[in-house]
Amino acid sequence: MKNILEAPYLVEMVRTTTNMYAHTWDERNGGNISLMLDEAQVAEYLDVNAVLRTIPTGFTAPELDGKYFLVTGTGKYFKNVQYAPEVNLGIVRLKDQGQQADLLWGFADGGKFTSEFPAHMMSHVARLKVDPQNRVVMHCHPANLLAMTYVHSLDEREFTRTLWQMCTECIVVFPEGVNVLPWMLCGTNEIGEATAKKMETARLVVWSQHGIYGAGKDLDETFGLIETAEKAAEIYMKIAHLPRLNTITDEQLHLMEQRFGVKGREGYLD
Ligand code: 13P
Ligand code: ZN
């Protein structure tokens, strides 16, 4: 059996958590990631019949039975993942209508998956229906997106349009826009269900006064999505208090659509 610490998906997960910490998106235990794996990817490194323990999930998601996830642990610091992957990460397989998770590797100090597991798992279900290639759900607390939710309208069209206007390539990276949830209690099935509903129409979902969720086919793509939205929010926070003399017009955004073969969310451009 090969060494799991050398599995490309594990190496990439360690690099991603480290990089997110370096971007200041994940203070303390802030943020969490789940990456769906194929059984073959896991079986190369682990005996998939050797269950270490079984952890209740607290929700029902029958679509996920038999699915494997590499996921960050609750209360774990992204800055520490690189030094102790086996303590800070775990590999689980869901069963019993998603109500239980068999732990196959990790959470070595007796820990468990992130408290946002409901939002992650429900978002995977939602995104897989839209895009069968989806593998990643990522949550973090980038300062500028968070700041923006204090001073900008939370209307999804308005929020999206502002982000698109802040960097020319935003509309190419997230043409479907950004969905926004009002402040809700985190770590609950309710915020999980609300996030998954928003994931049906966009890969980015802002949690007001908390952070953001991203989804994508791999860690790089998902990181890039959040990175682009956060960059746009940063520009907004630099200019929001200043008179705006210039902007990117809707006409120019339409030119971007044509040049890059994308279509902005229906009704979002005039
Ligand atoms: P966990 O430590 O449980 O992953 O929670 C962090 C977080 O960001 C909650 O929203
Ligand atoms: Zn959070």
Side-chain angles (χ1 to χ4, degrees):
M1 200 77 70
K2 295 200 221 164
N3 179 1
I4 183 86
L5 294 175
E6 289 167 10
Y9 51 82
L10 203 117
V11 171
E12 193 59 22
M13 181 66 115
V14 170
R15 284 184 186 156
T16 303
T17 47
T18 304
N19 194 17
M20 289 172 76
Y21 177 71
H23 276 69
T24 75
W25 300 347
D26 297 280
E27 76 291 342
R28 200 174 183 276
N29 65 310
N32 21 78
I33 308 179
S34 57
L35 165 67
M36 197 169 91
L37 299 169
D38 297 332
E39 183 167 81
Q41 283 178 292
V42 180
E44 230 179 301
Y45 301 91
L46 299 174
D47 175 359
V48 295
N49 297 312
V51 175
L52 302 176
R53 56 195 157 95
T54 299
I55 311 170
T57 65
F59 58 82
T60 305
E63 299 92 334
L64 296 175
D65 273 0
K67 298 254 190 285
Y68 293 81
F69 293 93
L70 171 60
V71 57
T72 54
T74 184
K76 301 304 186 204
Y77 295 20
F78 273 24
K79 83 180 171 64
N80 294 339
V81 174
Q82 60 178 320
Y83 305 113
E86 197 163 353
V87 172
N88 294 290
L89 303 173
I91 294 178
V92 295
R93 178 182 55 219
L94 297 196
K95 66 175 186 186
D96 298 345
Q97 314 243 316
Q99 291 171 3
Q100 314 256 19
D102 281 340
L103 179 66
L104 302 176
W105 175 86
F107 303 142
D109 62 352
K112 61 181 262 188
F113 39 73
T114 171
S115 61
E116 305 294 4
F117 206 52
H120 280 254
M121 294 300 109
M122 293 175 196
S123 293
H124 276 285
V125 172
R127 284 313 303 172
L128 283 167
K129 284 185 189 148
V130 183
D131 174 12
Q133 303 294 318
N134 196 85
R135 291 291 176 276
V136 176
V137 173
M138 183 182 280
H139 166 62
C140 57
H141 304 160
N144 294 289
L145 277 164
L146 228 154
M148 205 172 145
T149 67
Y150 288 85
V151 298
H152 192 281
S153 154
L154 300 179
D155 176 84
E156 288 169 345
R157 182 177 183 272
E158 289 307 313
F159 203 93
T160 296
R161 285 175 54 80
T162 295
L163 292 179
W164 283 351
Q165 288 163 1
M166 293 303 110
C167 308
T168 294
E169 292 183 339
C170 277
I171 192 166
V172 180
V173 178
F174 49 93
E176 77 271 42
V178 169
N179 286 342
V180 183
L181 281 181
W183 187 92
M184 289 179 74
L185 189 61
C186 55
T188 61
N189 289 350
E190 289 69 32
I191 201 169
E193 282 155 17
T195 306
K197 185 88 200 117
K198 293 289 186 192
M199 281 280 179
E200 289 171 9
T201 50
R203 293 163 298 158
L204 287 168
V205 179
V206 169
W207 279 11
S208 295
Q209 296 85 48
H210 182 137
I212 190 162
Y213 268 74
K217 68 176 180 349
D218 57 36
L219 289 165
D220 233 21
E221 181 190 271
T222 316
F223 181 97
L225 258 180
I226 294 176
E227 185 180 31
T228 307
E230 168 62 3
K231 178 63 155 293
E234 182 180 356
I235 312 288
Y236 178 74
M237 294 309 298
K238 281 187 199 291
I239 65 156
H241 59 295
L242 301 170
R244 201 181 307 180
L245 303 181
N246 308 296
T247 193
I248 303 173
T249 64
D250 282 30
E251 200 181 356
Q252 289 165 336
L253 288 168
H254 281 304
L255 286 175
M256 289 298 290
E257 287 181 314
Q258 287 155 28
R259 170 68 182 82
F260 290 93
V262 298
K263 185 82 188 75
R265 178 97 155 243
E266 194 61 44
Y268 275 28
L269 288 180
D270 295 331

